[in-house]
């Protein structure tokens, strides 16, 4: 018996043995009567019906499922009613709700059973050696006819066995024997067969009790209640979800701490818990009675956000140096909250923003200086740009108007003086030593196989963000900086960075700061620009056109500048999606066979929440005036920084001093002299080597600490590992396992303290190289 594969196999073997008879001196039994007063085996009836064509059930008539009353069973056995018993088979009559004692005396036998009463004499009763019904527990334990397992001797275990019978049927007998030898066949084990993930079931129920109960069967709910009482000292039925949420927050036992870690690792899986925890928070008088995690209650996080909001609003009342120190102190205080569950639920935007505000404070503590027009760009590209990036990140972290007001106030107070001082110094240096003019090549040679991607308004710090996004996704990426053509506006600067710059000249800047064709002096309109490209055998590609990668290409993609003009400081929140589109365009070009993609831009920009300061310049002194630049009339005198137009030295351009603007309230603009407007990135991207393994992670499923992975594609020779660091095998949590022929692999995390923590699932090729990685939560 113990050599059978599963419990169901053992049960079938026992039933088959009950039908045995000596063919030399006996006739076959008329039937096997299987009494089951407590209906412990009833949940297995569908499985037995499928496995045994001669299996019949006592109950309301249902011919299709071989179920009916006793008189119908008698007719079936006599061959007078379908379905007919297969030739040579001994019918098995399963009698749920009927005890063996019902067949002791014909006088006391219930009338509904009398048609089959006499079968006990011509047939065989399948029962325990002691004459009682086989219960599931007795079948597992019996030395004679059973599996000889050692079970815990408590009522909870007996109850759990009955609940788990459907799952128990598929457990290998060898596994049961091993658990028995280790003394593990108790209520916890049998409940675990029903609840593969107890913590997930508990949290799911707390999140939405009614919906969870509606989804689950009775056995699963009963098993959860049993385990909660035994392991969590909490009764879902008597205590209710509010008490459960209070225990989850106060974490009185290690099991509750594990449950909290699971919730904190994947809070979106349990959307109702935030509101429940809000209701369950103990009053101030009761809190001292509990040992609770600081981050447990949403109200406490909200109070911290409110305090931080007010602190940021108060920053402008301090001297700038003191304000920077305040931002650093606020970061130290609120940094831990970024690890709280509420940050993952986007309930802590200011805690995220203050990280970037502190970075802004650190960078701007040192002025951006230099003695030449080459020194300042060097200082800026070696680290000064991080202040600009910090501003964008801080503004992007918040969405609510009250939070935007607080962050904007802190940014403007700390960033504006640093930005202004750098711009004023840069303007003085440019007055002594102008930026390189039209003789300085900005694009360089464009060999065949190169596609130039023009991205309007790709400021240097945004170029650095693009560089970070491309790293590891494509081949080699190189970033260098360039000076823009002045003034830093698109009509002037875009042609200067094109492959046809040598065919363009300038005479008068006009209202649009637009140059003209060198051949005939006509304005450089978009149509004429495309014609110049075509004449130079440069393909002009639409937004989604791949072009011919054996030639040269020019395409325009992205609208950073337009978004900035439309949304002002709101541009900060749009940067990630704008860059994501640019990355996809670059990847698509490389995938079509281009050997190099060169990303160029026309200018950067200034962004100041609450507006750039206003600078006065009377209109009568100018021929054309934009927000940050103006064409000065030939005989006019202005007391502002001036420089020559890139396309014609005799055209004089004026710009506001520092970071001023000729109109009040402008948050975003360009055209003047500042490092942010005039020093821009240029990126060269080449394709990487195609991976030798074309396999991907298709499915990841957790059952407790067991992780089942399914791969798709060509995975021959691949292995899978679960690590803290993708490229470091020493950080593995479950070893490295080869992939089976069907693309499956299983990993088991031995350390139960890791449940609910973050890890990385890594797919490796035969040489151990990382092919794909995926962030996961252990156990979830």
């Amino acid at each position: 018996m113990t050599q059978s594969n599963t419990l169901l196999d053992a049960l079938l073997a026992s039933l088959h043995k009950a039908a045995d008879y000596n063919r030399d001196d006996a006739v076959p039994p008329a039937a096997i009567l299987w009494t089951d007063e407590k209906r412990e085996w009833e949940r297995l009836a569908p499985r037995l019906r499928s496995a045994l064509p001669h299996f019949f059930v006592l109950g309301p008539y249902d011919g299709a499922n071989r179920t009916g009353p006793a008189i119908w069973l008698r007719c079936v056995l006599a061959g007078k009613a379908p379905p007919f018993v297969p030739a040579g088979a001994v019918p098995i009559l399963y009698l749920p709700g009927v005890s063996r004692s019902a067949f002791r005396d014909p006088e006391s036998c219930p009338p509904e059973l009398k048609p089959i009463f006499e079968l006990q004499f011509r047939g065989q009763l399948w029962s325990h050696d002691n004459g009682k019904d086989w219960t599931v527990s007795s079948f597992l334990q019996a030395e004679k006819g059973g599996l000889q397992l050692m079970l815990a001797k408590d009522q909870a275990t007996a109850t759990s066995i009955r609940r788990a019978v459907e799952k128990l049927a598929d457990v290998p007998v060898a596994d049961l024997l091993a658990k028995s030898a280790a003394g593990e066949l108790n209520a916890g084990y049998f409940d675990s067969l029903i609840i593969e993930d107890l913590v997930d079931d508990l949290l799911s129920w707390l999140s939405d009790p009614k919906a969870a109960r509606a989804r689950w069967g009775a056995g699963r709910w009963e098993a959860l209640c049993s385990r909660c009482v035994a392991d969590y000292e909490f009764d879902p039925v008597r205590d209710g979800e509010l008490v459960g949420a209070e225990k989850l927050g106060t974490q009185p036992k290690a099991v509750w701490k594990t449950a909290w870690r699971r919730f904190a690792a994947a809070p979106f899986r349990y959307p109702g818990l935030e509101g429940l925890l809000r209701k369950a928070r103990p009053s101030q008088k009761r809190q001292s009675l509990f040992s609770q995690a600081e981050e447990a209650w949403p109200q406490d996080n909200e109070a911290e956000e409110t305090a931080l909001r007010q602190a940021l609003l108060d920053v402008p009342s301090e001297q700038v140096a003191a304000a920077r120190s305040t931002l650093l102190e606020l970061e130290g205080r609120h940094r831990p909250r970024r690890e709280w569950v509420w940050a993952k639920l986007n309930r802590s935007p200011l805690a995220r923003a203050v990280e970037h505000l502190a970075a802004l404070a650190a960078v701007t503590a040192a002025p951006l200086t230099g003695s030449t027009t080459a020194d300042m760009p060097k200082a800026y590209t070696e680290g000064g740009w991080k202040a600009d990036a910090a501003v964008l990140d801080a503004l992007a972290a918040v969405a609510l108007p009250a939070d935007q007001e607080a962050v904007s106030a802190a940014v403007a107070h700390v960033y504006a003086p640093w930005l202004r001082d750098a711009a004023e110094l840069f303007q003085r240096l440019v007055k002594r030593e102008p930026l390189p003019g039209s003789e300085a090549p900005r694009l360089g040679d464009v060999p065949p196989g190169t596609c130039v991607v023009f991205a309007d308004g790709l400021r240097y710090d945004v170029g650095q963000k693009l560089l970070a996004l491309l790293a590891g996704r494509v081949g080699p990426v190189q970033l260098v900086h360039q000076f823009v053509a002045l003034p830093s506006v698109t009509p002037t600067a875009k042609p200067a960075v094109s492959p046809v710059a040598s065919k363009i000249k300038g005479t008068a800047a006009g209202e649009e700061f637009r140059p003209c064709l060198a051949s005939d002096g006509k304005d450089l309109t978009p149509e004429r620009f495309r014609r110049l490209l075509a004449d130079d055998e440069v393909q002009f590609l639409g937004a989604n056109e791949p072009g011919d990668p054996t030639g040269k290409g020019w395409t325009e993609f992205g609208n950073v500048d337009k978004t900035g003009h439309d949304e002002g400081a709101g541009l900060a929140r749009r940067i990630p999606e704008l860059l994501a589109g640019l990355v996809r365009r670059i990847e698509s070009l490389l995938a079509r066979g281009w050997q190099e993609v060169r990303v160029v831009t026309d200018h950067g920009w200034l962004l100041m929440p609450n507006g750039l300061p206003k600078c006065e310049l009377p209109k009568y002194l100018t021929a054309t005036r934009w927000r940050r630049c103006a064409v000065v009339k030939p005989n006019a005198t202005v007391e502002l920084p001036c420089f020559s137009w890139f396309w014609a030295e005799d055209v004089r351009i004026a710009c506001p001093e520092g970071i001023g603007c000729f109109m009040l309230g402008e948050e975003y603009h360009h055209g003047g002299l500042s490092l942010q407007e005039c020093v821009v990135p240029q990126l060269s991207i080449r394709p990487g080597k195609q991976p030798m393994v074309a396999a991907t992670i298709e499915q990841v499923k957790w059952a407790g600490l067991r992780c089942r992975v399914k791969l798709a594609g060509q995975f021959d020779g691949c292995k899978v590992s679960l690590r803290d660091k993708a490229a470091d095998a020493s950080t593995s949590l479950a070893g490295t396992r080869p992939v089976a022929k069907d693309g499956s692999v299983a990993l088991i995390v031995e350390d139960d303290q890791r449940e609910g923590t973050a890890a990385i699932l890594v797919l490796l090729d035969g040489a151990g190289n990382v092919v794909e990685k995926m962030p996961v939560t252990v156990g979830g």
Side-chain angles (χ1 to χ4, degrees):
M1 185 73 66
T2 59
Q3 299 304 310
S4 301
N5 292 329
T6 67
L7 172 63
L8 182 62
D9 295 329
L11 177 62
L12 293 172
S14 180
L15 290 169
H16 179 73
K17 186 176 181 181
D20 281 348
Y21 64 98
N22 189 336
R23 289 172 171 76
D24 293 331
D25 62 2
V27 297
I32 303 297
L33 300 181
W34 179 356
T35 56
D36 182 13
E37 182 180 13
K38 296 180 179 180
R39 298 178 178 267
E40 291 196 9
W41 300 95
E42 191 169 21
R43 293 178 181 175
L44 291 185
R47 300 280 300 275
L48 294 164
R49 186 183 299 117
S50 176
L52 303 170
H54 50 290
F55 179 82
F56 300 88
V57 180
L58 176 70
Y61 178 71
D62 182 357
N65 286 311
R66 302 201 294 273
T67 301
I71 187 62
W72 175 81
L73 292 175
R74 184 65 182 265
C75 292
V76 169
L77 266 60
K80 302 299 183 180
F84 301 106
V85 179
V90 177
I92 299 173
L93 305 187
Y94 174 59
L95 312 175
V98 177
S99 71
R100 181 168 179 173
S101 62
F103 293 93
R104 288 179 181 172
D105 184 353
E107 297 297 328
S108 61
C109 180
E112 62 271 19
L113 295 178
K114 285 186 176 180
I116 59 174
F117 178 83
E118 60 87 20
L119 288 177
Q120 64 179 308
F121 305 112
R122 295 192 297 116
Q124 176 71 41
L125 281 162
W126 185 67
S127 60
H128 193 284
D129 195 50
N130 62 12
K132 296 181 179 179
D133 291 347
W134 274 119
T135 64
V136 181
S137 293
S138 63
F139 186 73
L140 293 175
Q141 296 178 87
E143 292 187 8
K144 186 175 181 180
L147 299 184
Q148 306 176 26
L149 302 175
M150 298 294 294
L151 306 181
K153 306 295 184 181
D154 57 90
Q155 185 58 42
T157 297
T159 302
S160 297
I161 290 172
R162 291 194 293 271
R163 281 196 298 262
V165 66
E166 289 175 273
K167 298 287 186 179
L168 187 60
D170 294 320
V171 178
V173 172
D175 288 358
L176 292 171
L177 289 169
K179 296 288 185 182
S180 174
E184 297 176 1
L185 290 181
N186 51 29
Y189 170 75
F190 293 110
D191 283 340
S192 73
L193 298 178
I194 304 175
I195 308 175
E196 288 191 353
D197 192 336
L198 173 60
V199 177
D200 181 66
D201 274 10
L202 172 59
L203 294 176
S204 296
W205 174 75
L206 288 172
S207 177
D208 193 341
K210 290 183 179 180
R213 289 290 305 275
R215 289 195 310 270
W216 299 341
R220 187 170 176 181
W221 167 244
E222 292 168 4
L224 174 65
C225 293
S226 172
R227 299 303 345 126
C228 283
V229 171
D231 300 342
Y232 290 81
E233 297 180 358
F234 160 67
D235 188 337
V237 175
R238 295 184 177 181
D239 296 329
E241 62 268 20
L242 270 180
V243 172
E246 184 177 283
K247 288 181 176 291
L248 179 65
T250 55
Q251 301 172 31
K253 296 183 67 177
V255 289
W256 285 107
K257 295 183 188 297
T258 298
W260 179 267
R261 287 198 299 270
R262 176 71 67 83
F263 167 56
F268 290 102
R269 183 176 173 85
Y270 315 103
L273 267 177
E274 180 181 358
L276 189 64
L277 286 165
R278 188 181 298 278
K279 295 178 183 178
R281 182 180 185 271
S283 65
Q284 294 293 334
K285 292 182 179 180
R286 294 179 59 216
Q287 283 193 49
S288 60
L289 301 175
F290 296 93
S291 171
Q292 61 188 52
E294 185 182 5
E295 74 271 23
W297 316 111
Q299 298 96 315
D300 293 343
N301 182 65
E302 289 168 0
E304 289 294 313
E305 282 285 288
T306 300
L308 177 54
R309 186 181 301 110
Q310 187 58 53
L312 295 177
L313 289 170
D314 293 340
V315 162
S317 65
E318 300 179 310
Q319 295 293 324
V320 174
R324 292 188 177 112
S325 297
T326 295
L327 292 176
L328 293 171
E329 291 170 3
L330 290 172
E331 158 64 3
R333 174 179 172 181
H334 292 277
R335 181 191 301 115
R337 288 202 297 119
R338 292 197 291 274
E339 302 301 320
W340 291 8
V341 65
W342 312 118
K344 292 182 180 179
L345 289 170
N346 300 318
R347 302 293 188 264
S348 309
L350 291 175
R352 295 192 183 281
V354 77
E355 175 185 11
H356 307 298
L357 292 174
L360 173 65
V363 176
T364 58
L368 201 55
T369 62
S371 57
T372 68
T373 52
D375 290 340
M376 289 198 73
K378 184 174 185 295
Y380 177 64
T381 58
E382 288 181 352
W385 62 269
K386 294 179 181 178
D388 307 327
V391 169
L392 293 181
D393 292 338
L395 293 172
V398 292
L400 297 178
D403 293 340
Q404 291 174 346
E405 179 186 2
V407 171
S408 295
V411 165
H413 187 61
V414 171
Y415 182 48
W418 178 85
L419 195 63
R420 178 200 63 221
D421 293 346
E424 290 177 353
L425 176 58
F426 185 62
Q427 289 163 5
R428 292 195 296 271
L429 294 174
V430 170
K431 184 177 181 180
R432 296 202 317 256
E433 184 184 352
L435 295 182
S438 57
E439 72 283 354
R442 282 164 170 75
L443 181 61
D445 294 334
V446 180
T450 300
C451 184
V452 179
V453 176
F454 172 77
D456 195 358
L458 190 71
R459 197 169 68 169
Y460 191 83
D461 57 313
V462 182
Q464 289 283 352
K465 291 179 181 290
L466 175 61
L467 176 67
L469 288 174
L470 290 170
R473 299 182 60 158
V474 293
V477 183
Q478 182 182 17
L479 184 151
V480 297
H481 73 271
Q482 296 281 357
F483 290 115
V484 304
L486 297 179
S488 51
V489 294
T490 300
T492 287
K494 175 182 172 181
V497 77
S498 73
V500 293
S502 62
K503 298 183 178 182
I504 301 168
K505 69 176 184 179
T507 53
E511 293 184 358
E512 298 295 330
F513 294 94
R514 181 184 295 163
C516 59
L517 301 181
S519 59
D520 55 17
K522 292 181 180 179
D523 279 358
L524 184 67
T525 62
E527 294 76 14
R528 290 171 183 148
F529 177 68
R530 294 188 187 188
R531 197 177 307 145
L532 285 180
L533 291 172
D535 292 344
D536 220 34
E537 298 183 345
V538 178
Q539 307 163 67
F540 185 93
L541 309 180
N544 297 307
E545 293 178 352
D548 177 5
T550 63
K552 304 176 185 180
W554 171 277
T555 186
E556 299 173 11
F557 194 91
N559 52 0
V560 171
D561 189 50
K562 183 181 185 302
T563 305
H565 286 298
D566 291 345
E567 302 185 23
L571 168 65
R573 293 188 297 278
R574 300 286 303 281
I575 290 293
E577 70 177 83
L578 295 172
L579 289 182
L582 184 53
V583 168
R584 288 193 295 270
R585 178 58 167 155
I586 293 168
E587 289 181 323
S588 70
L589 290 169
L590 294 174
R592 288 303 187 111
W594 290 94
Q595 294 305 301
E596 179 186 7
V597 173
R598 201 175 301 177
V599 179
V600 299
T601 191
D602 47 359
H603 57 75
W605 30 269
L606 296 179
L607 185 142
M608 183 60 61
N610 301 331
L612 298 163
K614 188 170 186 286
C615 178
E616 298 296 337
L617 177 63
K619 276 191 174 182
Y620 66 83
L621 297 175
T622 65
T624 297
R625 190 182 73 173
W626 286 12
R627 269 42 170 193
R628 280 277 293 165
C629 59
V631 177
V632 181
K633 289 181 178 179
N635 298 321
T637 301
V638 297
E639 300 297 327
L640 293 173
C642 293
F643 49 86
S644 294
W645 186 35
F646 176 83
W647 296 105
E649 290 187 2
D650 58 345
V651 177
R652 195 160 44 121
I653 310 292
C655 72
E657 187 173 12
I659 57 173
C661 188
F662 292 139
M663 290 193 68
L664 182 65
E666 298 290 330
E667 291 187 328
Y668 172 97
H669 254 291
H670 55 88
L673 279 176
S674 71
L675 293 164
Q676 285 73 15
E677 295 165 284
C678 297
V679 178
V680 294
Q682 187 174 127
L683 293 90
S684 171
I685 306 110
R686 295 184 179 276
K689 295 180 179 179
Q690 295 298 316
M692 296 301 292
V693 176
T696 58
I697 299 172
E698 183 177 59
Q699 184 182 61
V700 179
K701 184 178 181 181
W702 288 90
L705 295 176
R706 184 183 181 89
C707 179
R708 298 184 179 92
V709 182
K710 185 73 174 179
L711 302 183
Q714 300 298 321
F715 44 76
D716 291 346
C718 288
K719 299 179 181 180
V720 173
S721 184
L722 191 66
R723 301 174 176 177
D724 282 327
K725 296 182 179 179
D728 188 354
S730 66
T731 65
S732 176
L733 309 183
T736 300
R737 304 284 297 173
V739 179
K741 292 182 179 180
D742 64 353
S744 65
V745 62
L747 302 166
I748 300 176
V749 179
E750 300 292 345
D751 183 2
D752 58 7
Q753 296 299 312
R754 290 304 304 265
E755 186 171 15
T757 64
I760 300 173
L761 187 66
V762 181
L763 173 61
L764 307 167
D765 63 17
N769 301 309
V770 177
V771 175
E772 186 181 6
K773 58 187 178 67
M774 176 186 294
V776 296
T777 300
V778 176

